[in-house]
Amino acid sequence: MVSRFAPLMPPGGSVLSLSYIASQRVIPGYGGGMSSAKAQLESDTRTLAWEAGRKYGIRVNTISAGPLKSRAASAIGAGPGGKTFIERAIDYSTNNAPLTLPLYAENVGTTALCLSTDLMAGVTGMTMYVDMGLHAMGTAIDSPAYEGLEKPPMTPGSAN
């Protein structure tokens, strides 16, 4: 798509794509094919940033969004216990991300808006995480390995 639209775009324009943390981490239930596709998309973002930047003067970035209960995500069926994949992913995120606030489509949308403006004119070839910080975590605080340790307080204003 970049090869078709870039010639029509003004220099300084921006191309965005959407990814998910499964491109870099194992997410049980997400599916190997989609994980591989997202990893390729993030790699293509870096390559296209170079190519489209040099040839057309446009920027190319990816947003890696955290779990959102979209119609598409909700289509991944329910597993044991009746919860869908996305419901489990949202629960995991709110229990383990640095910011325990719910993630909304507006969080992703405002990031996309910002990346599309001159405020981010020097940013290209990057994957921007919009996931309340979940990508920064090495282990889950709800892991049995941390049983008995005091959990940190929840983010002010969160429902938890």
Side-chain angles (χ1 to χ4, degrees), residues 10-13 51-59:
E51 293 173 355
R54 287 297 180 111
K55 190 170 183 178
Y56 303 107
I58 64 170
R59 298 174 291 116

Side-chain angles (χ1 to χ4, degrees), residues 71-130:
R71 198 172 352 165
S74 297
I76 302 174
K83 281 190 173 182
T84 64
F85 166 80
I86 197 63
E87 289 168 334
R88 291 178 189 280
I90 290 169
D91 288 349
Y92 181 87
S93 182
T94 56
N95 284 319
N96 293 291
L99 298 175
T100 57
L101 301 166
L103 182 68
Y104 295 107
E106 289 80 9
N107 300 122
V108 178
T110 54
T111 301
L113 174 64
C114 188
L115 282 168
S116 299
T117 68
D118 289 340
L119 292 171
M120 301 293 255
V123 177
T124 193
M126 95 173 216
T127 298
M128 168 80 72
Y129 292 93
V130 182

